Amino acid sequence: AVLHRDSLLFVYSLEFSAMANFLKVLVKNARNLKDADAAFGGKTDAYVRMRILDADGETVAGPKETSVENEGGANPEFNEEFLFEDLEAPGSYTLKVTVLDKDSLLGLDVLAADDKLGSATLDLGTLSNTEDMVDKELIIADGWFSDSTVNIAVSTGGGWGN
């Protein structure tokens, strides 16, 4: 089979456009987290879990998680970068960010469920088409504390967005 120059350009452009649909997320920190372990001593051992959801709420990418900030308390620092690749229709997706408190019982993680400290969503259809990292402060909605936030920066790599 012989591929003509036009065919090669078409194949390249298809591959490039698929590669261009990624989302880079830098999880910076969280602020004013509640202490889910207050009654049992110790500070919050927070981590962040992210997934990308389609319009039906189905996971299309992820989950991806930061490292656990042991004894990080109410204001843990993460500074971890993640890449969600091969996003088919990123402008129609939502990034769901959940902050959890890692729990263990008698030193064994399997004996205790992690506490959900809250979650927030970011409509990816609102993002700008830029290679720059754009700061976003997401308020974690949990009802008990509306001032808890997670700070991230996002980039579409200039491949998609408004």
Side-chain angles (χ1 to χ4, degrees):
V2 175
L3 285 175
H4 299 286
R5 189 173 71 83
D6 290 342
S7 299
L8 285 173
L9 286 174
F10 178 71
V11 168
Y12 172 77
S13 68
L14 275 179
E15 288 180 4
F16 180 76
S17 66
M19 285 177 29
N21 288 342
F22 68 83
L23 178 69
K24 187 188 302 184
V25 181
L26 171 64
V27 180
K28 294 179 169 187
N29 55 48
R31 294 291 175 252
N32 303 316
L33 297 180
K34 74 172 185 174
D35 187 358
D37 296 332
F40 303 102
K43 292 182 177 178
T44 300
D45 304 316
Y47 67 99
V48 176
R49 177 183 297 147
M50 297 175 294
R51 63 182 79 229
I52 294 183
L53 308 174
D54 65 14
D56 296 325
E58 298 295 319
T59 299
V60 295
K64 295 182 185 264
E65 296 180 351
T66 66
S67 302
V68 175
E69 268 304 300
N70 289 310
E71 300 288 315
N75 301 303
E77 298 289 331
F78 300 104
N79 296 312
E80 293 182 45
E81 195 169 279
F82 299 89
L83 191 62
F84 292 94
E85 298 179 279
D86 301 323
L87 302 175
E88 211 170 290
S92 67
Y93 296 156
T94 299
L95 175 67
K96 182 171 185 181
V97 179
T98 304
V99 181
L100 299 113
D101 178 23
K102 185 75 171 172
D103 282 337
S104 60
L105 186 61
L106 305 174
L108 300 173
D109 292 343
V110 295
L111 295 182
D114 294 347
D115 296 315
K116 179 179 170 184
L117 300 179
S119 64
T121 57
L122 175 63
D123 178 352
L124 300 187
T126 65
L127 298 183
S128 298
N129 183 346
T130 178
E131 291 183 25
D132 298 334
M133 296 297 283
V134 178
D135 290 333
K136 299 285 182 184
E137 181 180 59
L138 305 178
I139 296 174
I140 298 168
D142 189 23
W144 292 99
F145 56 104
S146 59
D147 62 340
S148 295
T149 59
V150 63
N151 296 294
I152 65 174
V154 294
S155 173
T156 66
W160 58 276
N162 298 313

